[in-house]
Amino acid sequence: MAKTQVSLTVNGAQVDALVEPRTLLIHFLREQLSLTGAHIGCETSHCGACTVDLDGKSVKSCTMFAVQANGTDIRTIEGMANTDGTLHALQEAFREMHGLQCGFCTPGMINRAYRLLQENKNPSEAEIRMGISGNLCRCTGYQNIVKSIQYAAAKLAGVPFQEAAE
Ligand code: FES
Ligand code: FES
């Protein structure tokens, strides 16, 4: 099949590649760029495991073709750490607050939470739950994911994290 040239930015690096028009963005990221952090759970836009940040929006990368990403700026979980190599507040939060168990949903969940906190620096619990409603987790029951996002919001704001009373 004829291939199409795409040029985009991925985790701050310029990427030029040839892709088949039928290639989904998630397959391009995982198979051509070896960025396997974004996972494939359903390929039908339900689970959110494939979520990446694209031009300032959370995008389920199984729902678009790689050719549609031409000219865009993408961040995957591989680009989430701080430039000095330390964990991003969200990564630290998920570790500290036990926001993951098997970890399958985690890259998508953290990417989604990243955009949520860009849009709302101090979300309520209800806003967090609504914000991650497109990302499914089969392990945690979500409580510790919510706590992780609250922890990260506090850390990014430079204030101590206080767990809400149960
Ligand atoms: S793999 Fe994309 S939403 Fe499930
Ligand atoms: S930690 Fe297992 S699916 Fe979320």
Side-chain angles (χ1 to χ4, degrees):
M1 186 177 287
K3 294 191 172 178
T4 302
Q5 172 83 32
V6 292
S7 298
L8 61 160
T9 305
V10 181
N11 297 329
Q14 173 73 25
V15 171
D16 299 294
L18 289 171
V19 293
E20 290 186 5
R22 65 180 176 176
T23 301
L24 294 174
L25 179 57
I26 183 67
H27 292 146
F28 173 66
L29 292 171
R30 290 177 56 85
E31 292 158 26
Q32 279 185 247
L33 303 188
S34 299
L35 295 172
T36 54
H39 291 152
I40 302 171
C42 65
E43 269 188 332
T44 55
S45 79
H46 285 92
C47 74
C50 63
T51 303
V52 298
D53 203 71
L54 184 147
D55 284 348
K57 291 196 171 74
S58 297
V59 166
K60 292 178 177 176
S61 59
C62 73
T63 64
M64 63 184 284
F65 294 111
V67 290
Q68 293 175 293
N70 187 39
T72 63
D73 189 352
I74 293 177
R75 180 202 289 248
T76 70
I77 193 68
E78 288 87 349
M80 187 61 64
N82 300 316
T83 46
D84 64 0
T86 55
L87 294 180
H88 185 277
L90 276 162
Q91 294 172 306
E92 176 187 315
F94 272 66
R95 186 176 68 182
E96 294 297 321
M97 294 289 108
H98 308 288
L100 66 141
Q101 289 179 26
C102 80
F104 194 83
C105 69
T106 311
M109 199 66 86
I110 287 181
N111 244 305
R112 175 61 201 130
Y114 170 80
R115 185 48 49 193
L116 174 65
L117 293 182
Q118 292 289 310
E119 293 168 350
N120 181 355
K121 294 194 183 330
N122 187 22
S124 66
E125 178 175 343
E127 287 169 334
I128 291 173
R129 288 185 183 276
M130 177 61 75
I132 61 169
S133 59
N135 291 67
L136 303 182
C137 175
R138 295 178 66 171
C139 304
T140 63
Y142 299 97
Q143 191 59 34
N144 285 351
I145 292 176
V146 172
K147 252 190 238 175
S148 301
I149 297 171
Q150 291 170 326
Y151 175 109
K155 171 141 191 170
L156 291 168
V159 299
F161 171 60
Q162 287 181 327
E163 276 192 46
E166 297 276 320

